[in-house]
Amino acid sequence: LRLRAVVEEILNGQHGQSCPTMLALSSRLKSASTTPRVCSSTATATSYSRCRLITCADRRSAPNSSPTLAQLLPKRRIILLRHAHSEESSANVKDHQRQLTTAGRTQAVEAAQYLLTQGWVPDLVLASNARRTKQTLDEMSGVLTQLGEVDTHCYGSLYTIAALDGQTRAHVSECLLEVVDDAKHHCVLLVGHNKGWSEAASAMSGRKVHLKSASAALLEVAGSWAEVLKDTAQWQLISVHTPVRI
């Protein structure tokens, strides 16, 4: 404390005015107190006290190059595709046996071309077992040749569930969890019917989606299949493809 008082007296010019040594020391101390100190990369432990402290604010303002958890998790993709345009049911043709029209075949090809240009190539397919959904896949495979090589599962329940209010999303998830694999599958194509397909796309994305014939909702989210297929999972609606000819 006494030394500090002496130094303050020197800086204030109140001590040792007639002593050359004290005057020189006073001058150097005043210079040191007003001259900014710049820390070098070779600063020693004794010079750290003159370095500017890094505050929490500095750390918050520094750019964060570490990836987030969402960026580290694998992306999962679902394509909800309504079957292409088909003939009307009649006394001679039951609904389950309806076939694609000429326009419907063109729509299916157009949908496949869109998925190919977007880079959304399925590695797993689940579809209704109705005739028109199978024919939609057949037409698409002419463009998306990979469809002939991936596992394809056709369910009668995906045909019937689509007619029930608010049941499709949960049932699709149940069917998927039976066959999907985290390591093998990243993009799943689901081919089915309204009203269930539009309801499922809306529920998964939190947005109103209406799928017309051969329309496709492209949905994406990060995580394991078990996590993203929960009812509470929120999917991002990337785009909705609607064919030119409806």
Side-chain angles (χ1 to χ4, degrees), residues 119-176:
W120 284 54
V121 178
D123 46 36
L124 177 66
V125 177
L126 273 67
S128 155
N129 68 350
R131 191 172 189 176
R132 57 189 180 275
T133 55
K134 293 179 179 179
Q135 289 181 336
T136 298
L137 282 170
D138 289 341
E139 295 297 327
M140 293 178 68
S141 63
V143 177
L144 279 170
T145 55
Q146 297 89 337
L147 289 179
E149 303 172 0
V150 303
D151 291 337
T152 300
H153 304 268
C154 294
Y155 293 84
S157 60
L158 292 179
Y159 169 75
T160 57
I161 201 72
L164 304 179
D165 290 334
Q167 302 296 312
T168 301
R169 179 185 183 177
H171 184 66
V172 163
S173 296
E174 291 175 6
C175 293
L176 265 176

Side-chain angles (χ1 to χ4, degrees), residues 151-220:
D151 291 337
T152 300
H153 304 268
C154 294
Y155 293 84
S157 60
L158 292 179
Y159 169 75
T160 57
I161 201 72
L164 304 179
D165 290 334
Q167 302 296 312
T168 301
R169 179 185 183 177
H171 184 66
V172 163
S173 296
E174 291 175 6
C175 293
L176 265 176
L177 287 173
E178 292 177 358
V179 296
V180 77
D181 183 274
D182 276 330
K184 292 172 55 179
H185 304 130
H186 303 280
C187 183
V188 179
L189 173 62
L190 301 169
V191 188
H193 313 264
N194 263 356
K195 56 186 169 181
W197 253 236
S198 291
E199 287 181 348
S202 300
M204 293 171 71
S205 66
R207 298 170 59 181
K208 182 65 176 178
V209 179
H210 178 66
L211 298 176
K212 299 180 180 181
S213 298
S215 294
L218 278 59
L219 301 153
E220 185 178 68

Side-chain angles (χ1 to χ4, degrees), residues 52-65:
R52 181 178 65 85
L53 294 177
I54 298 177
T55 65
C56 293
D58 295 326
R59 295 185 183 276
R60 287 194 296 268
S61 63
N64 184 11
S65 58

